[in-house]
Each structure stands twice: as structure tokens, then as C-alpha cells.
Amino acid sequence: MKKVAISACLLGGLCRYDGKTKIHNSVITAFEDWEIIPFCPEAPLFGTPRERISVFYVNGQNRIITDETDKDVTELLIDETKRFILAHPDLDMIVLKSKSPSCGRGTTPILNDKREVIALGDGVSAALFKENYSHLEIKDETGF
Ligand code: SF4
């Protein structure tokens, strides 16, 4: 059976920062005959609900920083995503939630220090997935 990793909030997981889901029935239906592996790097690290995080462009790099307490959580998210990649070397496809600071694929707002959107880019996990699963199709829910 083919394997697909899907952002857990698209599958109905109540794992968003606000404790809600982003369930997407067309995604779930499209993979009825696949083994679905839920992916969410944020909830295991920070709990749910949790403080919102955003991507900031700082000194030539994208950094993930908490909105209120100003804590840089980039390395935590990198480590969590790497753990997932090591545990799942044999995926056939990945479907991620758009616009998320972790999961967004080319759709995540990148902010400057005034919280102005200066570009749309990849979330930290999406960027690592593109590097480590370069042979795979990586989609987001907007294609379903
Ligand atoms: S977008 Fe990604 S990190 Fe955010 S709740 Fe969904 S699966 Fe978790």
C-alpha cells in the first residue's frame, strides 16, 4: 500500500494553535486506499492550544518566533521534523497545510520586524521535506 504523510489538521486533528481543526474531506477521500501518516510538528512540542508562531526574516534567514513571548523555536521545529523524516524514509507523497509557519509550501507569509509580509515562502517543515524528499510530489490542500 502506498504511503502519504498529511498534515494532521487536514485529517481532522484538533492540533492547530487555537485548538481547532482544518479538516479537508477531499484530501481524506483522495487517499482512501493509501496508508495515511499524520504529521504535526507543533502540537507535540508546544501543546494545543498554544501561542501563535510566525516566520520572520532575520539576518538573512527564516526564523520561527512566538508572537507574544518572542521566543525563537526554529531549532525545536527542525529537530521534530527531522525525527519524522528519519522515522518515515519510504513515503510516496506528502500533503501539507498551506500558509502554516511549519507546513506551508510556498504560501507562508514571511514577515519583517514590523510584521509586514515581505514574501510568501516555505514553512520550516515544508523546507526540510523538500530537501529530504526531493524525489516526492509535495502538495498542499488547495489542489484537492
Ligand atoms: S499546519 Fe502543520 S503544524 Fe500547524 S496544526 Fe496543521 S499539521 Fe500542525
Side-chain angles (χ1 to χ4, degrees):
M1 191 182 267
K2 287 190 169 186
K3 284 188 188 175
V4 58
I6 303 180
S7 290
C9 55
L10 296 175
L11 297 170
L14 298 167
C15 50
R16 277 181 34 114
Y17 73 96
D18 56 5
K20 294 183 180 160
T21 179
K22 277 283 174 181
I23 190 165
H24 200 292
N25 289 320
S26 312
V27 169
I28 296 170
T29 308
F31 294 100
E32 266 171 2
D33 299 328
W34 292 52
E35 181 182 346
I36 294 179
I37 299 161
F39 169 71
C40 179
E42 295 179 24
L45 286 172
F46 312 125
T48 304
R50 58 185 169 276
E51 185 178 350
R52 199 169 187 170
I53 56 179
S54 302
V55 184
F56 288 85
Y57 188 68
V58 184
N59 297 329
Q61 293 182 5
N62 286 349
R63 306 298 299 179
I64 319 296
I65 297 171
T66 57
D67 278 10
E68 283 140 46
T69 52
D70 206 28
K71 190 173 157 212
D72 189 326
V73 293
T74 314
E75 300 305 324
L76 291 171
L77 285 163
I78 287 174
D79 289 349
E80 185 70 19
T81 305
K82 283 185 175 169
R83 274 195 284 279
F84 181 90
I85 291 169
L86 276 177
H88 301 289
D90 54 349
L91 298 176
D92 297 292
M93 199 183 288
I94 299 172
V95 182
L96 296 173
K97 171 73 185 71
S98 62
K99 299 180 186 169
S100 151
S102 299
C103 293
R105 183 188 138 280
T107 54
T108 301
I110 314 295
L111 309 179
N112 65 14
D113 57 359
K114 299 185 187 89
R115 296 194 67 89
E116 295 162 341
V117 178
I118 54 168
L120 295 178
D122 292 329
V124 59
S125 302
L128 281 170
F129 281 175
K130 280 164 86 170
E131 250 177 72
N132 286 274
Y133 297 111
S134 54
H135 58 297
L136 287 192
E137 199 174 358
I138 303 179
K139 301 182 173 194
D140 68 27
E141 82 283 8
T142 60
F144 290 85

